[in-house]
């Protein structure tokens, strides 16, 4: 399960943090190329989005993400996430194929016809975030450039993403999410978000599958 907070920024640096929160030394900037794949919207219609990611040093990876989990609102979202690198003899990781088939996608027909409908290019500045409970999340400032072949266009924005570690308890996560949201809502240059990058890009680019 992916659990994260999102905020839009009008600058490209980490805003001031509330008392009791601190970040570790910054990690190297990552350059990410994400392509979202589908065929006539059949994966999206089954409640999933399929992403193919290339980055500076990592191997090619595929990620299957569900729609936002019911019961989450505002900047905090939860999604089921399956991220895998394909084995040498695989086009797509077998767990992702099996999940799509279980969701009702005609994988024999769809997966051979996948086409990118949206591309995100990101410069990501990641850093570990902690408080008195210990390390809580990976915080990143993401400079995003979104483009699509149909309709042709491009949009850019910068966002702050705080992805909570799977080891963090729900109580600690909910407390931190509330404190951080309250704090950032009052900070200049910060807007409370909530949309995923792909949902925001699809809306701004008027993509219809």
């Amino acid at each position: 399960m992916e659990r994260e907070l999102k905020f839009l920024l009008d600058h490209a640096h980490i805003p001031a943090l509330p008392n009791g929160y601190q970040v570790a030394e910054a990690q190297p900037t990552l350059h990410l190329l994400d392509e979202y794949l589908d065929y006539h919207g059949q994966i999206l219609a089954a409640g999933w989005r399929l992403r193919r990611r290339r980055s500076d040093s990592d191997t090619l990876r595929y990620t299957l993400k569900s729609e936002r989990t019911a019961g989450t609102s505002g900047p905090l979202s939860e999604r089921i996430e399956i991220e895998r690198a394909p084995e040498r003899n695989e086009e797509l990781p077998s767990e992702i194929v099996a999940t799509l088939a279980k969701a009702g996608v005609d994988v024999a027909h769809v997966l051979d016809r996948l086409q990118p409908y949206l591309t995100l290019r990101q410069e990501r500045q990641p850093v570990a975030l902690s408080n008195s409970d210990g390390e809580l999340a990976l915080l990143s400032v993401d400079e995003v450039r979104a483009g699509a072949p149909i309709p042709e266009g491009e949009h850019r924005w910068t966002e702050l993403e705080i992805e909570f570690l799977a080891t963090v308890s729900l109580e600690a996560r909910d407390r931190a999410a509330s404190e951080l949201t309250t704090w950032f809502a009052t900070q200049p240059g910060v807007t409370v978000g909530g949309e995923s990058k792909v949902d925001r890009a699809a809306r701004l680019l008027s993509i219809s599958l």
Side-chain angles (χ1 to χ4, degrees):
M1 184 74 74
E2 175 190 67
R3 298 180 175 93
E4 61 187 15
L5 289 169
K6 284 182 176 290
F7 304 89
L8 297 175
L9 303 177
D10 64 8
H11 51 73
H13 60 266
I14 299 172
L17 298 173
N19 289 337
Y21 287 83
Q22 54 277 328
V23 294
E25 184 176 347
Q27 301 174 24
T29 298
L30 298 175
H31 299 86
L32 307 175
L33 173 61
D34 294 339
E35 294 175 295
Y36 286 84
L37 310 172
D38 211 326
Y39 178 68
H40 292 320
Q42 294 193 41
I43 292 176
L44 182 59
W48 296 92
R49 289 194 188 268
L50 177 62
R51 183 184 72 196
R52 179 171 61 201
R53 168 169 286 180
R54 296 177 174 87
S55 62
D56 295 320
S57 57
D58 201 4
T59 57
L60 176 71
R61 302 184 75 83
Y62 287 88
T63 303
L64 196 61
K65 291 193 178 190
S66 70
E67 294 297 295
R68 184 171 179 153
T69 302
T72 57
S73 61
L76 179 65
S77 66
E78 289 188 352
R79 291 178 178 85
I80 300 170
E81 179 180 87
I82 302 170
E83 182 173 273
R84 300 287 185 271
E87 299 294 336
R88 184 172 300 177
N89 60 341
E90 291 180 327
E91 182 69 24
L92 273 175
S94 57
E95 185 176 352
I96 287 178
V97 174
T99 301
L100 289 173
K102 187 176 180 180
V105 175
D106 182 357
V107 294
H109 180 72
V110 169
L111 298 187
D112 287 339
R113 296 169 173 81
L114 292 175
Q115 294 291 330
Y117 63 89
L118 175 65
T119 300
L120 299 181
R121 291 175 170 84
Q122 300 181 64
E123 288 192 9
R124 169 170 288 179
Q125 304 171 43
V127 62
L129 175 69
S130 60
N131 65 4
S132 59
D133 292 321
E135 187 172 335
L136 285 172
L138 184 67
L139 178 152
S140 65
V141 174
D142 299 340
E143 296 180 73
V144 185
R145 181 157 52 103
I150 302 175
E152 186 175 354
E154 182 178 281
H155 279 273
R156 299 178 184 231
W157 70 89
T158 302
E159 67 178 54
L160 176 70
E161 181 177 288
I162 301 173
E163 183 172 349
F164 290 99
L165 304 178
T167 53
V168 174
S169 70
L170 292 180
E171 180 183 0
R173 184 211 66 185
D174 288 347
R175 182 170 59 250
S178 176
E179 291 172 352
L180 291 166
T181 299
T182 300
W183 172 264
F184 285 130
T186 65
Q187 298 306 297
V190 183
T191 303
V192 174
E195 277 184 305
S196 68
K197 291 183 180 74
V198 64
D199 287 344
R200 177 175 173 79
R203 176 176 59 80
L204 292 174
L205 292 164
S206 300
I207 293 173
S208 179
L209 298 181

